[in-house]
Amino acid sequence: MNRLILLVTIAFMCATPGKAADLLVEAESFAGKGGWVVDQQFMDIMGSPYLMAHGLGDPVDDAFTSITLPAAATYYIYVRTYNWTSPWLDGQGAGRFSLSIDGRKLPATLGGQGKEWLWQEAGKINIKNPNVTLGLHDLTGFNGRCDAIYFTTAEGAPPSNVSELNTFRRRKLDLPDIAPSAGYYDMVVVGGGIAGMSAAISAARLGCKVALINDRPVLGGNNSSEIRVHLGGRIEAGPYKELGNLQKEFGPANGGNAKPADNYEDQKKADAIANEKNITLFAGYRATMVEMQGRKIKSVVAQNIESGKELRFLAPVFADCTGDGTIGYLAGADYLMGRESSEEFGEATAPQVADKMTMGSSVQWYAVDNNKPAAFPSFNYGLAFNDKSSEKVTMGEWTWETGMNYDQINEFERIRDYGLMVVFSNWSYLKNKMPENAQYRNLKLGWVAYLAGKRESRRLLGDYILKEDDLTRHVVHEDGTAAATWSIDLHYPDPANTANFPGEEFKSIAVHKTIYPYPIPYRCLYSRNIDNLFMAGRNISVTHVALGTVRVMRTTGMLGEVVGMAASICKQHEVTPREVYQRYLGDLKLLMREGTGQKGLPNNQKYNEGGSLNEKPVIIQK
């Protein structure tokens, strides 16, 4: 019996008068996905992962799976889908597809109508043999998306409200109220980016049994081949020169944004985790629930992004390396989001009035030479480009940044979709409408990310909040750890792009304020109100301004290494993260001097180090 059959539930085993038979099929659990990809980025908001036809303008290969319906009967069929171009265009959308049953295509065109995630009626069909094969057929190559397919002998779609739908989904998929245990660990790390990998390896090498939960099949986060942002910042800096040696082991040897997939050395990262006997990796699991016991997290529940299977993870300490501060948020941790006023923390760079603006998310892309003319479909879905507004380029890296004026959590799907919109719309203009476009004739899109590289969202608050004054006056705290070496690098909408797309910018500029290498206080790495929660990554305890220097991945990786060390002290002495600071700071300093990486490796991380000041600063002790 294939995995899909285990994911569906049958309300009644046979269709009898007065009793409906139904079946819910989750698209992400299709046995053969063809060219469709699983997108889990927005499941906290829209309710589920989904399949997406990310074809760059060429229809992708069909997805297929076999199912067993409750009985031979006449079924109404509904498909949960979303017209993703609807924020910018009223009318038929770009991401259209169809559904087939045993090779027979239903007449409805799906994915091109409505303004939100909805159940679209796909048709009514008489099934004589309940063992059937479903097929998803992409019609456009432009990111049609299918969440689920519902068969029912009684006309009527499932609920549309996300909360009600989640209840419906759990009942139909027969998910237990209490997820089965994945075991008890010394530390659970949620998030498999550079910070999470470093935290897991560091703790494991110091004797902790670690569960590493990552919601993609690929490790590395923004540095993976799925997003393709290169590492930044310096290692071998600050008071603890051994911090960062881990990144010599698994960090890519080559730099560059939006480069071919091999540049990001996914396998090296996978091997680094696989070689640690104390780490159990749960790839493709997204943390969705937290169980509390007073001020402590008792367990985290994570759901597999394809099978829907849930697992429950128990540990004395947890590390939130999600970037979005998801575990902290679910646990009720204090956090900040947006820009603080200059008065709140005495920051000269902050705006006078607090606002919700954040740094944005990047959908990177590049074109390749086809060696012969390459066509691209006309893409005209509400965003008009002309000779003045178009970007006459063949790649887009970090400067292609969207969503600064939108909520990077609750509106993230729109933010990512706008990133796709501008890439496809601009490329369509260059290929089809620009008068002098000979240089683009043989080019085609070679890669466009569908996972957005996010810079900022929630920042979880610790016992100390790092601010601009600490960095620029070099206020050194007794609990300083890994050194931030990147400039205070804050992004703003590009004024030239604003002139063409006011309020809907997709290009950014960076404003840098250079600093001396700065040891980040340990008190920024644990929650001030959730007693057993660490954090490492861009969601640590900093202001918006201070985030500009700590957010680069070599720095967040070193912070993860420190968190792993602190977790080992928590295990050894049965204490909380705060008590490490209060009672065992000396032990942590000894571990930081020693490091957990292999000794004597050459520094292969010399690219994209950033512009630190090298003179010895005037140190203000605090």
Side-chain angles (χ1 to χ4, degrees):
M1 182 179 291
N2 72 38
R3 179 177 292 173
L4 179 65
I5 304 304
L6 299 177
L7 288 177
V8 297
T9 189
I10 300 171
F12 295 93
M13 290 307 297
C14 45
T16 57
K19 291 186 177 181
D22 63 357
L23 184 71
L24 179 67
V25 180
E26 292 287 354
E28 63 272 15
S29 64
F30 266 43
K33 295 180 175 61
W36 296 66
V37 296
V38 176
D39 192 343
Q40 86 305 330
Q41 297 171 92
F42 322 109
M43 59 186 284
D44 303 339
I45 304 302
M46 56 73 66
S48 173
Y50 55 83
L51 282 188
M52 184 168 68
H54 187 54
L56 312 186
D58 291 322
V60 304
D61 292 341
D62 296 345
F64 290 101
T65 202
S66 297
I67 64 169
T68 300
L69 290 163
T74 298
Y75 288 92
Y76 299 90
I77 304 171
Y78 300 89
V79 175
R80 189 167 189 248
T81 185
Y82 174 49
N83 173 13
W84 70 272
T85 56
S86 61
W88 304 279
L89 178 73
D90 291 326
Q92 190 178 56
R96 303 185 300 278
F97 63 99
S98 64
L99 176 69
S100 72
I101 299 176
D102 283 339
R104 188 169 120 205
K105 289 188 180 181
L106 301 185
T109 296
L110 305 167
Q113 60 182 264
K115 290 282 189 179
E116 58 189 1
W117 279 97
L118 52 78
W119 289 99
Q120 186 176 345
E121 189 169 353
K124 179 181 176 183
I125 188 170
N126 182 36
I127 300 292
K128 294 182 179 179
N129 182 346
N131 298 307
V132 300
T133 297
L134 303 183
L136 293 177
H137 310 282
D138 179 25
L139 300 177
T140 66
F142 285 123
N143 299 83
R145 48 203 72 176
C146 179
D147 171 29
I149 303 159
Y150 181 58
F151 293 81
T152 177
T153 58
E155 188 173 8
S160 293
N161 174 273
V162 172
S163 178
E164 294 174 3
L165 178 58
N166 285 342
T167 300
F168 175 88
R169 192 189 305 269
R170 293 190 68 83
R171 186 172 74 249
K172 294 299 176 186
L173 300 182
D174 200 23
L175 295 175
D177 292 336
I178 299 177
S181 174
Y184 188 87
Y185 297 87
D186 297 315
M187 178 167 71
V188 172
V189 178
V190 186
I194 300 302
M197 289 182 63
S198 298
I201 294 173
S202 178
R205 290 184 179 178
L206 293 170
C208 293
K209 182 183 177 184
V210 180
L212 176 59
I213 303 170
N214 189 43
D215 69 355
R216 295 297 302 169
V218 177
L219 291 162
N222 280 348
N223 186 239
S224 72
S225 65
E226 295 188 311
I227 300 175
R228 307 190 191 184
V229 177
H230 60 173
L231 301 181
R234 298 185 188 184
I235 58 176
E236 299 182 341
Y240 303 105
K241 308 297 185 188
E242 297 299 321
L243 291 178
N245 281 343
L246 285 182
Q247 292 170 64
K248 298 177 185 177
E249 298 180 35
F250 62 75
N254 298 307
N257 294 320
K259 298 295 183 183
D262 289 348
N263 269 46
Y264 304 92
E265 298 189 70
D266 292 341
Q267 191 59 50
K268 183 193 287 188
K269 299 184 182 80
D271 291 343
I273 295 299
N275 290 336
E276 297 295 331
K277 61 181 175 57
N278 283 337
I279 297 177
T280 304
L281 173 64
F282 293 85
Y285 276 84
R286 186 177 179 93
T288 56
M289 288 186 281
V290 165
E291 180 187 10
M292 297 297 295
Q293 194 169 55
R295 286 170 53 103
K296 290 186 175 181
I297 297 172
K298 181 179 179 180
S299 69
V300 164
V301 175
Q303 183 180 46
N304 188 280
I305 64 171
E306 294 190 25
S307 72
K309 176 183 178 182
E310 291 181 330
L311 292 174
R312 185 166 171 257
F313 298 81
L314 295 96
V317 293
F318 296 80
D320 188 330
C321 303
T322 63
D324 281 336
T326 302
I327 304 306
Y329 173 77
L330 293 172
D334 296 335
Y335 71 92
L336 295 171
M337 191 165 169
R339 301 192 298 179
E340 297 78 35
S341 70
S342 56
E343 182 180 6
E344 186 170 355
F345 291 98
E347 296 180 305
T349 301
Q352 285 190 328
V353 179
D355 59 32
K356 295 181 179 180
M357 184 175 174
T358 62
M359 288 180 280
S361 299
S362 290
V363 170
Q364 300 191 119
W365 64 277
Y366 59 74
V368 295
D369 191 345
N370 194 50
N371 295 316
K372 61 182 179 181
F376 187 76
S378 176
F379 189 90
N380 184 16
Y381 290 91
L383 193 64
F385 280 83
N386 54 43
D387 190 60
K388 177 185 175 185
S389 63
S390 62
E391 297 286 328
K392 300 173 181 64
V393 295
T394 59
M395 71 170 296
E397 52 170 306
W398 69 264
T399 57
W400 288 61
E401 184 172 347
T402 61
M404 293 185 178
N405 296 308
Y406 289 86
D407 188 317
Q408 292 282 342
I409 301 292
N410 295 309
E411 297 175 291
F412 190 37
E413 189 170 18
R414 184 200 189 282
I415 291 167
R416 189 284 307 272
D417 287 349
Y418 189 58
L420 296 175
M421 273 285 294
V422 296
V423 172
F424 296 149
S425 300
N426 183 72
W427 192 247
S428 179
Y429 174 79
L430 299 180
K431 293 287 290 184
N432 301 316
K433 292 187 176 181
M434 191 170 73
E436 301 295 330
N437 69 346
Q439 67 268 40
Y440 295 99
R441 188 169 300 136
N442 288 1
L443 297 181
K444 67 176 184 178
L445 291 176
W447 173 76
V448 179
Y450 66 91
L451 300 178
K454 193 184 295 191
R455 289 174 181 80
E456 179 180 7
S457 53
R458 303 185 190 103
R459 290 165 277 119
L460 305 177
L461 300 184
D463 280 346
Y464 193 79
I465 303 171
L466 187 69
K467 57 189 182 299
E468 181 179 17
D469 194 54
D470 292 311
L471 302 164
T472 56
R473 297 182 63 210
H474 213 275
V475 180
V476 175
H477 298 264
E478 64 170 347
D479 59 333
T481 64
T485 58
W486 200 257
S487 59
I488 300 176
D489 172 6
L490 298 173
H491 291 194
Y492 303 90
D494 183 341
N497 197 239
T498 299
N500 293 318
F501 301 94
E504 293 286 349
E505 298 89 351
F506 60 88
K507 296 289 297 293
S508 68
I509 58 170
V511 178
H512 295 263
K513 180 182 285 189
T514 312
I515 63 169
Y516 295 103
Y518 183 83
I520 298 165
Y522 168 71
R523 287 166 293 160
C524 297
L525 307 183
Y526 62 85
S527 170
R528 71 185 187 186
N529 69 308
I530 305 300
D531 290 342
N532 62 340
L533 180 63
F534 287 108
M535 51 265 194
R538 60 179 173 82
N539 56 332
I540 69 168
S541 182
V542 295
T543 65
H544 165 82
V545 173
L547 179 65
T549 183
V550 304
R551 63 185 175 82
V552 292
M553 284 181 276
R554 289 200 189 98
T555 302
T556 62
M558 292 188 292
L559 296 177
E561 194 174 347
V562 173
V563 162
M565 295 171 179
S568 74
I569 296 173
C570 289
K571 176 186 178 181
Q572 180 182 358
H573 298 287
E574 297 184 347
V575 295
T576 64
R578 177 178 287 114
E579 289 174 304
V580 172
Y581 168 69
Q582 293 172 334
R583 299 168 56 190
Y584 298 102
L585 185 58
D587 292 6
L588 180 61
K589 289 181 177 181
L590 289 174
L591 291 174
M592 289 191 292
R593 289 191 189 101
E594 185 67 19
T596 54
Q598 295 180 28
K599 304 288 187 185
L601 294 178
N603 188 353
N604 60 358
Q605 299 297 302
K606 300 290 286 184
Y607 58 86
N608 197 37
E609 293 184 297
S612 293
L613 297 171
N614 293 316
E615 300 174 16
K616 188 175 181 180
V618 175
I619 296 175
I620 301 172
Q621 296 286 353
K622 188 171 180 179

